[in-house]
Amino acid sequence: MPRNLSPHTSNDESISSFYGEQRPSYRDAPSNEERPTSISAHSSDGSSTYKHLNSSGLKQRVNIRGDGYGGGGRNANFEPIAGVDIDDVSLCSHHIPRPKDKSLSNIQSHNYEPDESEIWRAYVAQQHFKNRGQWWTTGKKRSIKRWLLTMIIGAIQALIAYLSNIVCRKLSDWKYEYVLEILKQNNADESDTLGSNNIGDDLYAWQGDVGDEDDATGATGSNTVFFNFGGSAFLAFLFFQTLFASIASFFVYIEPVSGGSGIPEIKCFLNGIDLPRVVRIKTLICKVVGVTFSVAAGLPVGKEGPMVHSGSVVAAAVSQGKTNLWGFDTSFTKFSDFRNDGEKRDFVACGAAAGVTSAFGAPIGGVLFSLEEGASYWSTKLTWRCFFCAMITLGTLFGLKNLDNAWGQANIESLFSFGEFNSLTGEASNFAIWENINFMFIGCLGGLIGAVFNAANENLTIWRMKWVNHSKQKRVLEVLLTSMLVTTVSFMMPMIWDRCTDKPTDMQDWSNQEKNLVDALVQFQCDEGQYNEVASLIFTDADTAIKQLFHFREAGIDDASTFSSAALFLFFIPYITLATIVYGIAVPSGLFVPSLLSGAAFGRLCGHLLHKLDHTSGTFADSGTYALMGAAAVLGGMARMTISLTVILLEATGDMQYVLPLMLTLMCARFTGNVFNEGLYDIHIKLKGIPFLEPEVPNIAEKYEIIASQVMSTDVKCLRPVERVGVVFDLLRSCSHGTFPIVDNDTTGTLYGTASRDMLCTLLQRRAFTAATAVDDGNGQGLSTRAKAISPLVQWDTLERVYPRYPSVDDIELRSTDRDCLLDLRPYANTAPYTINETASIQRTYRLFRTLGLRTLCVVNHTNQVVGIITRKDLLPDSLSTSLLRGRSAYSGNNHMGELA
């Protein structure tokens, strides 16, 4: 019997009975022999509730509920289907506990596809009419604006990164100068008392060059110490480290979204998830200022991840032309083409590419990063825009770095982030072909290290979610304690390493880059002309330490060793352990630089050991080459990136001889790490309970045959083309769904279209309804869909003017007489929604949903009647596992739970 959705009558007194009850579970569904032979007629309460008779003659209600996010309404009491191993179902996906954060429970998906309503078609027709006979058309204006905004995004992000680097360097230099001034006073006092053998004095007194500044830093005595902390350099160091860390934590306290690297959030945003406050100007300010202080605090963090987030926020803000933080808003007519989810997504992808470019000076790597790790949707036009944005970012950054030489010949250090790599033996490569096997082995070890890093940080994050993250005060306290721990370990490690190494003196054939790195070696407690190996890696910025590990010569042809094996080991183990602890505390932090630095120490350690085994006969490549491979291995094992990371490292080194070794190293690191767990960014996405859709269909869908009717939400709530205001208002108040199907009264309940929650709230707030007395036909059936429009028409640009902050149901005020008014949804309904048949495979359903970036997908039967709705959460591995327990015959074909009268 065909279905017929009974329309509402004028009496809507018991609307709660329509929207509040649950659908019967599948195990209670009648079989073919138990199908009811008589169907009840329209309900007397005016609700669109179907009734059918079960085998015992009892009436059961079947509700239809639209779900804008996450599904629901399913009963978990399903009979397992034959041939399914329940153990396989429970183990089909990596189990990660879900957070209890209520802010994530109402996450909505983006709506990349425009609602093809009548008012939208009228707006498009108006634009086409204006362009008749015109050369300067709306499309050309839109294209010029798009490229102009992309250029502005690249320039602004370059300026932000440049200023952040300058401020971070100045803060670090000021911190070290202050401590060195105290040490100078201590040394002067000790010279008068013939020194001291007290261990505490050894802990508090250290001297030497810090960073890559000249020897005059702190040695001029021009700075006046306003407080000497009792003559303790350690206490001064602890004070500044903790002060900067607390400032960084303060900005995360103001805006919690600004914590962490930001890459997982941007990945989710580009995947189609509308995370709250991720691309707000307030988040940008807290992110940039916070990461500047967190890096200056000496924590094992980097600015690269936050720069990706920064570029994305800049792109979102510039493309929309408004911000609520400062009350600034340009004309809607100037930005109307870009104020939608689809355009914002493309601009954010360009901003992510600009962020990587500003961090590494790698424009091609930035484009590939946005493609590989970020955007779920990609096109050729978007590739060109990302390339253009990255080019503008690199050009602006390059110009800013060369202001001191009036844009003359550029310093080579400003071209490559990791310094200049050259062949040590003329035209030959720095490594032998057979050493690619060694690089693959290092890649496997790096993948194993990355897997251990990810597993340890995952367990630590779970502990934080349980005991720390629910309280802002506890998060700030954790930052302070962690900063004290990092400061103490950083100060004690050079104390433990009490050996002094002579600085290289025979540097006639060395480049200026290598000579500058020698000048940056930290003397610590050593005599003039000597340096402390461990202190040279700790008491300097991470960029300089990475360059030292990459470029100091140690080819194995002599006994010269800039960094010994024991010093590298002593630095590697505590540093990567601290990086594991720090990532996840309430400060903006990135993991690229800590992974690169620890990996470079690990790789150089491997190269040094190989030289020792070879008795320094020069068989193996120089230790700098192995340091580069180790850095790639550890970073690849942590993030599981391959294509983009290869290009980023090549652009940062400027040497194409390492193409094949880097590719082999990163592939081995990825394969090895994937054996144990996922990348760290993916782990944190799942820890936060964010419904991220992977590029490929989950493995359980390949193992078992699943169809759309098994995964869909069957408890669907619908509206009619012409609906009473009270019904719409109560529906919005009773649920938080984002989309509601509209069914046609005149065609036995077939799908007419869909209505978004934002559109319904806007219409009610603008009172786009009319009294029912003049149009009601009096038979309780409502208004026919073939009647002319009855409500005041709201134009498309008026509805979209408030994007993305549409009114909520709490903003709507209705009079008592408004509830009986009629709201005509026909001009605003999306009459061409994406649908899929209930018998479609889950593979086709998944590809359709993810490729098009849908928010909801209506499931229909062969007569185009709505039988369910699929949303993002329904396609996650856990939901697919649950669907296996439901069985195919529960709701497919003609065996429905109830017929519609």
Side-chain angles (χ1 to χ4, degrees):
M1 178 180 297
R3 299 189 175 194
N4 181 22
L5 182 63
S6 59
H8 292 268
T9 63
S10 58
N11 181 14
D12 54 357
E13 296 176 355
S14 58
I15 188 172
S16 59
S17 64
F18 169 36
Y19 298 117
E21 296 183 16
Q22 296 291 329
R23 188 177 191 127
S25 63
Y26 285 111
R27 68 185 300 172
D28 297 328
S31 61
N32 292 339
E33 293 78 7
E34 297 173 340
R35 284 294 155 192
T37 57
S38 61
I39 307 298
S40 63
H42 308 294
S43 61
S44 60
D45 59 357
S47 64
S48 299
T49 306
Y50 317 145
K51 296 181 180 179
H52 70 271
L53 299 178
N54 59 16
S55 56
S56 60
L58 298 178
K59 294 182 179 180
Q60 294 182 344
R61 296 188 176 212
V62 181
N63 295 333
I64 292 186
R65 190 203 65 163
D67 195 358
Y69 177 79
R74 300 188 207 130
N75 193 310
N77 299 323
F78 302 119
E79 294 290 349
I81 60 176
V84 177
D85 189 355
I86 301 302
D87 294 335
D88 291 343
V89 175
S90 61
L91 298 177
C92 66
S93 61
H94 181 58
H95 176 68
I96 297 179
R98 296 291 184 262
K100 297 180 180 180
D101 189 357
K102 295 182 179 180
S103 63
L104 296 178
S105 61
N106 293 325
I107 295 178
Q108 297 288 337
S109 298
H110 287 143
N111 187 20
Y112 293 142
E113 295 292 328
D115 289 342
E116 297 188 2
S117 59
E118 293 299 329
I119 58 172
W120 176 81
R121 295 186 182 96
Y123 178 82
V124 174
Q126 291 176 1
Q127 299 300 317
H128 290 168
F129 181 79
K130 291 180 181 179
N131 294 331
R132 276 187 171 183
Q134 300 291 329
W135 179 83
W136 187 245
T137 61
T138 304
K140 292 180 180 179
K141 294 179 183 178
R142 183 189 305 117
S143 180
I144 294 297
K145 290 179 183 178
R146 186 180 287 117
W147 286 102
L148 180 60
L149 291 176
T150 303
M151 182 178 68
I152 296 175
I153 291 168
I156 293 178
Q157 175 56 28
L159 182 61
I160 289 176
Y162 180 75
L163 294 178
S164 176
N165 288 333
I166 289 180
V167 174
C168 182
R169 178 62 61 88
K170 292 297 182 181
L171 289 174
S172 299
D173 292 344
W174 180 68
K175 174 182 64 176
Y176 291 131
E177 288 174 4
Y178 197 92
V179 175
L180 286 174
E181 189 68 21
I182 297 179
L183 289 175
K184 286 180 61 180
Q185 296 177 1
N186 292 338
N187 292 337
D189 296 339
E190 290 177 1
S191 63
D192 296 337
T193 58
L194 300 179
S196 173
N197 294 325
N198 189 288
I199 297 179
D201 294 336
D202 292 337
L203 176 63
Y204 299 148
W206 60 275
Q207 57 186 356
D209 298 329
V210 179
D212 55 1
E213 301 295 324
D214 54 21
D215 294 337
T217 300
T220 62
S222 59
N223 295 330
T224 301
V225 177
F226 59 85
F227 184 72
N228 63 358
F229 296 91
S232 171
F234 172 75
L235 292 181
F237 188 58
L238 178 64
F239 171 76
F240 288 113
Q241 296 269 98
T242 308
L243 174 64
F244 293 158
S246 61
I247 295 176
S249 180
F250 171 74
F251 284 96
V252 178
Y253 185 91
I254 296 175
E255 181 50 77
V257 179
S258 62
S261 70
I263 292 181
E265 287 77 9
I266 297 303
K267 285 186 63 175
C268 294
F269 186 91
L270 295 175
N271 190 256
I273 305 171
D274 187 13
L275 295 177
R277 308 187 311 278
V278 168
V279 290
R280 299 281 179 87
I281 293 293
K282 181 180 177 182
T283 304
L284 171 65
I285 297 174
C286 295
K287 193 80 172 185
V288 175
V289 180
V291 75
T292 301
F293 279 95
S294 63
V295 174
L299 299 174
V301 299
K303 297 187 293 290
E304 287 66 29
M307 285 299 105
V308 175
H309 193 179
S310 168
S312 301
V313 180
V314 169
V318 171
S319 65
Q320 302 305 298
K322 67 176 181 178
T323 171
N324 280 4
L325 182 62
W326 296 316
F328 173 77
D329 189 2
T330 58
S331 173
F332 174 76
T333 58
K334 297 179 181 179
F335 287 85
S336 59
D337 296 326
F338 308 131
R339 290 186 180 178
N340 56 76
D341 290 340
E343 287 288 347
K344 183 188 286 188
R345 171 198 60 192
D346 294 345
F347 277 109
V348 168
C350 295
V356 176
T357 304
S358 64
F360 290 102
I364 308 300
V367 175
L368 293 177
F369 174 86
S370 186
L371 170 62
E372 179 182 7
E373 289 295 315
S376 301
Y377 167 82
W378 202 260
S379 65
T380 304
K381 291 183 179 180
L382 185 56
T383 305
W384 282 110
R385 288 173 56 192
C386 288
F387 178 83
F388 178 75
C389 188
M391 179 191 70
I392 296 298
T393 302
L394 183 64
T396 305
L397 201 60
F398 194 51
L400 292 173
K401 288 182 178 180
N402 291 278
L403 288 175
D404 54 346
N405 61 2
W407 289 12
Q409 289 184 331
N411 191 331
I412 195 68
E413 293 184 0
S414 64
L415 287 175
F416 308 112
S417 300
F418 297 157
E420 182 184 10
F421 281 74
N422 294 317
S423 176
L424 301 179
T425 58
E427 297 180 355
S429 63
N430 293 342
F431 58 91
I433 297 177
W434 59 268
E435 284 188 278
N436 286 320
I437 300 177
N438 294 349
F439 300 151
M440 295 173 64
F441 181 70
I442 291 178
C444 294
L445 292 178
L448 182 61
I449 293 173
V452 174
F453 183 96
N454 294 355
N457 186 262
E458 176 186 353
N459 292 326
L460 185 59
T461 303
I462 294 175
W463 179 85
R464 284 193 178 111
M465 293 167 60
K466 183 177 180 181
W467 301 103
V468 179
N469 288 359
H470 62 276
S471 172
K472 287 186 176 182
Q473 291 75 15
K474 288 185 178 181
R475 298 196 72 188
V476 174
L477 179 61
E478 182 191 24
V479 171
L480 297 179
L481 295 177
T482 304
S483 178
M484 294 179 184
L485 174 64
V486 171
T487 303
T488 303
V489 173
S490 299
F491 206 91
M492 288 297 300
M493 286 167 58
M495 301 293 301
I496 297 174
W497 184 261
D498 57 353
R499 289 171 46 185
C500 295
T501 306
D502 295 331
K503 291 184 178 180
T505 56
D506 186 11
M507 298 184 294
Q508 295 181 357
D509 59 338
W510 284 33
S511 64
N512 292 331
Q513 173 183 255
E514 294 170 317
K515 294 178 181 179
N516 293 333
L517 291 176
V518 171
D519 294 337
L521 293 173
V522 179
Q523 186 176 343
F524 205 66
Q525 291 181 321
C526 300
D527 296 332
E528 191 70 25
Q530 295 180 328
Y531 67 96
N532 187 299
E533 299 177 26
V534 178
S536 298
L537 297 175
I538 295 177
F539 291 100
T540 185
D541 59 280
D543 295 337
T544 302
I546 291 175
K547 292 178 182 178
Q548 289 174 341
L549 294 173
F550 281 169
H551 296 290
F552 273 143
R553 300 192 177 188
E554 183 184 334
I557 57 177
D558 51 37
D559 293 330
S561 174
T562 310
F563 295 102
S564 62
S565 301
L568 292 172
F569 183 81
L570 179 61
F571 168 77
F572 169 70
I573 296 299
Y575 186 82
I576 196 171
T577 303
L578 291 176
T580 306
I581 297 174
V582 168
Y583 188 75
I585 64 175
V587 296
S589 59
L591 271 180
F592 277 81
V593 166
S595 300
L596 288 172
L597 181 54
S598 59
F602 167 73
R604 193 173 183 92
L605 173 62
C606 293
H608 188 265
L609 293 176
L610 290 176
H611 293 157
K612 289 294 184 181
L613 293 175
D614 190 44
H615 301 290
T616 66
S617 62
T619 304
F620 299 97
D622 65 293
S623 296
T625 298
Y626 280 92
L628 178 61
M629 298 303 123
V634 174
L635 180 55
M638 181 274 296
R640 312 292 161 80
M641 297 187 300
T642 52
I643 303 174
S644 59
L645 186 54
T646 300
V647 178
I648 289 174
L649 294 177
L650 286 176
E651 291 183 288
T653 57
D655 199 336
M656 289 297 295
Q657 66 174 315
Y658 297 114
V659 174
L660 181 59
L662 286 175
M663 294 174 67
L664 293 174
T665 301
L666 290 171
M667 287 300 296
C668 291
R670 181 184 178 92
F671 287 149
T672 305
N674 285 343
V675 172
F676 301 97
N677 50 32
E678 297 177 297
L680 187 61
Y681 298 138
D682 296 325
I683 289 176
H684 276 260
I685 288 173
K686 292 186 177 180
L687 284 175
K688 294 178 181 179
I690 301 175
F692 185 87
L693 294 182
E694 299 291 344
E696 301 297 331
V697 181
N699 294 331
I700 190 172
E702 302 292 342
K703 187 175 182 180
Y704 298 104
E705 184 179 1
I706 308 175
I707 60 176
S709 62
Q710 293 176 250
V711 302
M712 67 184 182
S713 301
T714 55
D715 187 22
V716 185
K717 291 179 180 176
C718 294
L719 294 171
R720 295 172 298 176
V722 180
E723 191 58 88
R724 296 194 175 276
V725 172
V727 173
V728 176
F729 182 76
D730 291 342
L731 177 59
L732 295 174
R733 292 295 297 266
S734 62
C735 65
S736 60
H737 312 140
T739 305
F740 302 94
I742 299 177
V743 293
D744 195 345
N745 302 19
D746 300 330
T747 56
T748 65
T750 58
L751 179 64
Y752 180 85
T754 58
S756 67
R757 183 183 190 89
D758 298 332
M759 180 264 290
L760 294 174
C761 291
T762 305
L763 292 178
L764 291 181
Q765 187 188 52
R766 290 187 169 273
R767 306 183 62 81
F769 45 79
T770 186
T773 57
V775 295
D776 199 352
D777 55 10
N779 60 0
Q781 297 293 324
L783 192 69
S784 172
T785 57
R786 289 187 288 270
K788 65 179 182 178
I790 60 173
S791 298
L793 188 63
V794 180
Q795 301 297 330
W796 178 86
D797 55 346
T798 303
L799 286 176
E800 297 299 322
R801 188 178 300 273
V802 294
Y803 173 88
R805 296 175 180 87
Y806 296 98
S808 65
V809 66
D810 297 329
D811 300 327
I812 302 172
E813 296 182 1
L814 295 180
R815 307 186 187 96
S816 57
T817 56
D818 294 337
R819 296 183 59 87
D820 291 331
C821 294
L822 292 179
L823 176 62
D824 193 351
L825 301 177
R826 292 170 297 175
Y828 316 103
N830 179 19
T831 56
Y834 287 98
T835 62
I836 196 168
N837 194 275
E838 58 185 341
T839 59
S841 65
I842 193 61
Q843 290 85 351
R844 173 173 292 186
T845 305
Y846 191 93
R847 287 193 298 267
L848 176 64
F849 194 98
R850 189 185 186 278
T851 304
L852 295 178
L854 301 181
R855 188 174 187 176
T856 57
L857 182 61
C858 294
V859 183
V860 298
N861 59 11
H862 62 283
T863 59
N864 200 36
Q865 296 170 328
V866 181
V867 295
I869 278 186
I870 291 178
T871 55
R872 179 176 291 268
K873 269 191 176 180
D874 298 321
L875 299 176
L876 297 179
D878 292 341
S879 298
L880 297 180
S881 303
T882 305
S883 67
L884 285 176
L885 306 179
R886 187 170 300 120
R888 290 192 58 173
S889 60
Y891 201 90
S892 61
N894 294 324
N895 298 330
H896 297 303
M897 293 174 54
E899 298 293 342
L900 304 181

